[in-house]
Amino acid sequence: MYNLETIIEENIANALNSLADEYKERGVYKTSKKIYFEALKFRQELSKVDKNKHLPLIAETFHSLGIIFKEENKYDLAIRYYRKSILIRRSLFNNNPKKYIYMLATNYTDIANLYRREYKYAQASYYYNKALKIYKNLPEEEREKSQIKILNIYNYLSIIHNEEGDFHKTKDAYIGALVIYQRLINKSNIYKSEFSTLLYDFGTLYLKNNRQNKAGEIFLLTLEILLELYNKNPTVYKLPLAMTFHNLANIYTLQHEYHKASISYKKALNYYITLAEENPSKHSEYVAIIFSDLASFYMQQKKNDLAQSFHLGLIKLYNELNQYNDNSYSLKLASAIIDGVKYYDQHTLSLYQAETILQKYSKEKKAKELLDDIYSLRQEKNSLTSF
């Protein structure tokens, strides 16, 4: 039985904490922090009387302070108070695991998020995996309720490990997320769009790491889902479809499957052209990129007329885009003109246009490199004509 003084201190601590909560919800963080620290003084004293009752409340206050410091972008302090909360909850875990298991997982995820925002990826990964381990050890029924939280952790891990350049860990994170998406799709089709986006990113990961065969398999699966989604909402899925067909075309080209590549390029180009007609400033660049790829594609097969046609189309398109936004397209236009002379046997007179463009940007590194290319090309062509 508590004495009167203890009961009064409990009431004061509870009142202070409630008041601090109100100020926190209103965003008055300075006042809220001050009151939380006052409440902590009472609760820390009270914990000497009844540890089991007051330690959880102290952990809760530490967690609230962590939230405030996070909102104030004081991540070091936020982490410090989240960790204080974790230490207490871990000590209480064995007495009531069901109550504290979710709290611990949440605390670990909160700390991981802060480390991720600070680009401290090793620490972020450590705490994400601590949270993941808790969720994995839950009974099946409980784990099902936490699918979205687990999914978010896998998504964050894929971002972290991709930034670190760790292919295998990135791949494992993608697979973990894809497995959950598959379960979610079995319950509701609303997740299919997110699933297709993740699949596309997964395929891109394999492509970036020179695993073309696996990337192709994943892009084909992505395509199957995107075509289904496109039939229901064409506007939203034109660009993802174009990009997927484009990636498949590049993979088929690398594998010398030219017929498949040609079909994929044409499908991608059709989508890109439609998008460019709807919004030229946003999507014409995609048409330019595929013109460049097609020029290279046909040159690789010794189909010089087609290669020339697409490369000249690329230059024409960049000329048009350059009239509206020379800052974005001048260097690309100059580079395309130089490539025309270098790879497509176009006349060196066109280099004067490229040179005029580049003189405006002569202080930029890329412009200097392209000017050097022009001088080298002229010397090379002159030496050939001298024989």
Side-chain angles (χ1 to χ4, degrees):
M1 188 74 180
Y2 293 163
N3 60 38
L4 182 59
E5 184 180 352
T6 301
I7 294 170
I8 292 170
E9 287 181 351
E10 278 190 358
N11 288 333
I12 292 171
N14 290 337
L16 286 169
N17 210 80
S18 296
L19 185 60
D21 286 343
E22 288 179 22
Y23 278 111
K24 177 167 69 74
E25 291 303 315
R26 286 157 50 189
V28 187
Y29 296 137
K30 185 176 179 180
T31 304
S32 181
K33 283 187 295 184
K34 185 177 179 181
I35 299 172
Y36 274 133
F37 283 123
E38 286 297 319
L40 270 176
K41 290 177 186 177
F42 283 98
R43 285 186 165 168
Q44 285 167 337
E45 285 300 315
L46 287 164
S47 69
K48 296 173 184 177
V49 178
D50 190 340
K51 187 182 291 187
N52 290 331
K53 182 176 182 180
H54 293 286
L55 278 180
L57 298 173
I58 292 171
E60 183 183 307
T61 304
F62 282 148
H63 185 75
S64 295
L65 284 164
I67 291 171
I68 289 176
F69 285 121
K70 180 190 73 174
E71 292 299 318
E72 293 179 328
N73 296 321
K74 296 174 181 176
Y75 293 160
D76 288 344
L77 285 170
I79 289 168
R80 180 191 300 177
Y81 282 96
Y82 280 143
R83 291 180 74 174
K84 284 175 179 284
S85 178
I86 284 174
L87 286 171
I88 294 172
R89 286 170 173 171
R90 283 174 61 182
S91 71
L92 298 167
F93 177 79
N94 291 332
N95 295 331
N96 194 342
K98 190 171 183 180
K99 178 179 179 180
Y100 290 104
I101 195 162
Y102 289 106
M103 290 183 180
L104 282 170
T106 300
N107 277 149
Y108 287 140
T109 305
D110 288 340
I111 290 177
N113 287 338
L114 293 176
Y115 276 126
R116 176 176 52 83
R117 292 177 189 179
E118 289 280 275
Y119 304 103
K120 295 177 180 177
Y121 291 145
Q123 295 94 323
S125 176
Y126 172 79
Y127 281 104
Y128 279 134
N129 281 299
K130 293 275 282 184
L132 206 53
K133 186 176 179 181
I134 289 175
Y135 287 124
K136 284 181 177 179
N137 288 329
L138 289 173
E140 181 67 29
E141 185 179 339
E142 294 296 315
R143 193 162 63 247
E144 282 296 315
K145 295 176 185 176
S146 303
Q147 291 296 290
I148 300 300
K149 291 179 180 178
I150 300 170
L151 177 62
N152 288 336
I153 290 173
Y154 277 128
N155 283 333
Y156 289 138
L157 283 170
S158 70
I159 293 167
I160 286 171
H161 296 314
N162 194 37
E163 286 290 322
E164 292 176 322
D166 190 322
F167 168 74
H168 294 289
K169 287 184 178 179
T170 307
K171 179 191 71 173
D172 291 343
Y174 271 122
I175 290 171
L178 288 166
V179 168
I180 293 175
Y181 268 123
Q182 193 64 63
R183 290 176 186 166
L184 292 170
I185 287 169
N186 290 337
K187 296 177 181 178
S188 172
N189 281 334
I190 63 171
Y191 294 100
K192 273 197 173 180
S193 180
E194 293 176 28
F195 184 51
S196 68
T197 300
L198 191 67
L199 267 177
Y200 179 88
D201 292 342
F202 194 29
T204 303
L205 173 72
Y206 275 106
L207 191 58
K208 188 173 74 175
N209 285 273
N210 296 315
R211 289 164 167 81
Q212 285 85 12
N213 289 340
K214 191 66 179 178
E217 292 173 12
I218 295 168
F219 284 132
L220 284 171
L221 180 57
T222 308
L223 203 59
E224 184 180 331
I225 298 167
L226 285 173
L227 286 168
E228 180 186 336
L229 292 168
Y230 175 81
N231 288 333
K232 297 175 183 177
N233 192 347
T235 304
V236 174
Y237 296 101
K238 283 178 191 172
L239 183 57
L241 270 173
M243 293 169 69
T244 305
F245 274 121
H246 195 170
N247 280 331
L248 278 168
N250 288 336
I251 290 169
Y252 289 140
T253 301
L254 288 169
Q255 295 171 335
H256 303 290
E257 296 189 46
Y258 295 127
H259 179 65
K260 288 183 178 179
S262 178
I263 293 171
S264 296
Y265 274 130
K266 287 173 183 176
K267 287 183 179 292
L269 185 57
N270 285 337
Y271 286 115
Y272 282 141
I273 288 172
T274 303
L275 286 162
E277 288 171 349
E278 294 169 359
N279 191 336
S281 62
K282 186 176 180 181
H283 294 116
S284 293
E285 175 70 6
Y286 291 110
V287 179
I289 292 169
I290 205 165
F291 273 16
S292 177
D293 285 350
L294 280 164
S296 176
F297 171 71
Y298 286 118
M299 183 60 74
Q300 190 174 327
Q301 298 173 73
K302 312 294 184 188
K303 297 179 178 179
N304 295 346
D305 289 345
L306 283 170
Q308 284 275 14
S309 175
F310 277 107
H311 192 267
L312 289 170
L314 170 68
I315 292 174
K316 182 181 178 183
L317 182 54
Y318 275 142
N319 266 311
E320 291 174 1
L321 291 170
N322 192 51
Q323 292 176 22
Y324 297 100
N325 191 343
D326 57 347
N327 287 331
S328 295
Y329 294 104
S330 288
L331 295 183
K332 291 176 181 178
L333 172 58
S335 181
I337 292 168
I338 293 167
D339 285 345
V341 177
K342 188 187 295 186
Y343 302 115
Y344 300 97
D345 202 29
Q346 290 167 12
H347 203 285
T348 55
L349 284 173
S350 61
L351 293 175
Y352 286 108
Q353 182 190 359
E355 192 172 19
T356 302
I357 293 167
L358 294 171
Q359 293 296 347
K360 298 178 185 177
Y361 303 90
S362 58
K363 292 182 180 180
E364 293 187 21
K365 183 181 177 183
K366 179 64 176 176
K368 289 177 182 177
E369 291 172 355
L370 291 172
L371 283 167
D372 287 342
D373 281 349
I374 289 174
Y375 302 144
S376 298
L377 274 171
R378 281 181 176 148
Q379 287 180 341
E380 181 186 327
K381 297 292 182 181
N382 288 336
S383 64
L384 289 172
T385 56
S386 64
F387 286 101

